[in-house]
Amino acid sequence: MAKQKKILLNNFNNLSKKLDFSFFFVREAKTEEEKIKVNNYFNDKLNAENVTEILVKLTKDIGANVVGISKQNYDPVGESSVILISEGLVSNIDPVNNSQIYFHLDKSHVCSHSYPEFSSTKDISTYRIDFEISTCGNISPLLTINFLIEEMQKVGQLDIIDIDFIVRGFTRDNKDSKIYNDVRINNIAQYIDKKYLNAYETKNVNLEANRIWSIKMMNKNVDAALKQEVSDIYSA
C-alpha cells in the first residue's frame, strides 16, 4: 500500500465542534403497497449518490475542501455517506472516484445515515435521515443548519427536526490560556432562519456548562391522521 501523504496543520485548533441532525418524514401508509411506495420514494430521493451531492455542496458552502468520499446504498433500503474535509486547499485528490465518502476538515468529517421504519399496528411509515457535521479549526458546523433544512424540505414535508450541538476538548490562546468554547451561542435557534422557526413549534434545551445545546422542531401543519405520531416523536 502506498504511503499516504499527510496534510499540514497550521495553528491547529483542538476544539471539536459536532452538530447532529435527525430529520423525520412521517407518512400515512394503510397497505403494504403504500408502505413500499413511501419507502421507495425516500430511498430514491435520499440514496447515497444524492446525499453525497448534498454533502459535497455543504462542504463547499462552508468554505471547506473535500479530501475523500465513501458512500454505500443498502438492500432493501437505506444509505450511509461519510466525507473527510479540510480547511486548507487539497491537491492531487480525486474524491469522486473513491470507493467510500469522506470529507476531512483538519481532522473533521461529514456523514449521513438513513433509517426507514414501519408501524405494525398503525397505518404509518417513518423515514429518518441523520447527519453529523464534526469540525475542528475555524469553521463552525452551525453554518450548515439552514442549508440542510432547505435541502431536506426539497424531498418533502419535514415533520420533525432534531438538532444537537456539542463542543468538546480545549485549545489555547497566544497567552497559553485554555479556551473551552470559541463559538458565540445562546441557543441553536439563533442560527435558524425565521421562516423555519415560524413554521415549527420549537423547544430548546441549553446545557451551557456542559457545552451542549439542543433544539427540537415540530411542523405546525402536520396531517390530522399523523398528529399523534408526530407529537410522540416531538415529546420524546
Side-chain angles (χ1 to χ4, degrees), residues 152-211:
M152 292 301 100
Q153 285 194 336
K154 292 177 183 177
V155 175
Q157 176 172 299
L158 270 175
D159 298 293
I160 295 288
I161 303 171
D162 196 353
I163 308 173
D164 300 313
F165 178 59
I166 303 172
V167 180
R168 289 288 178 258
F170 65 87
T171 192
R172 294 179 184 272
D173 63 16
N174 56 11
K175 296 181 180 179
D176 203 40
S177 298
K178 293 186 184 71
I179 298 173
Y180 293 94
N181 184 19
D182 62 353
V183 178
R184 292 183 179 180
I185 180 171
N186 296 315
N187 55 64
I188 294 177
Q190 74 190 75
Y191 287 90
I192 301 177
D193 193 296
K194 288 185 178 180
K195 67 181 179 183
Y196 301 130
L197 294 175
N198 291 337
Y200 288 79
E201 295 181 25
T202 63
K203 57 182 180 181
N204 290 276
V205 176
N206 305 310
L207 304 175
E208 189 171 349
N210 301 97
R211 295 178 289 167

Side-chain angles (χ1 to χ4, degrees), residues 10 39 43 58 60 76 82 95 102 122 154 165 170 234:
N10 292 314
N39 178 81
N43 209 43
L58 177 152
K60 293 178 179 179
V82 187
Y102 280 96
K122 302 175 184 178
K154 292 177 183 177
F165 178 59
F170 65 87
Y234 181 65

Side-chain angles (χ1 to χ4, degrees), residues 160 203 216 218 227-236:
I160 295 288
K203 57 182 180 181
K216 209 162 191 178
M218 181 176 69
K227 184 69 174 179
Q228 186 58 56
E229 183 76 8
V230 174
S231 295
D232 289 345
I233 300 171
Y234 181 65
S235 300

Side-chain angles (χ1 to χ4, degrees), residues 31-49:
T31 66
E32 287 300 315
E33 290 75 14
E34 289 179 350
K35 290 179 179 180
I36 292 172
K37 184 178 180 180
V38 169
N39 178 81
N40 288 343
Y41 172 81
F42 287 106
N43 209 43
D44 177 61
K45 293 291 184 179
L46 296 172
N47 61 44
E49 290 73 26

Side-chain angles (χ1 to χ4, degrees), residues 17 24 31 34 53 82 85 95 116 143 147 167 179 213 219:
K17 288 155 280 191
F24 293 83
T31 66
E34 289 179 350
E53 289 183 11
V82 187
I85 53 181
L143 300 174
F147 170 80
V167 180
I179 298 173
W213 296 263
N219 197 306

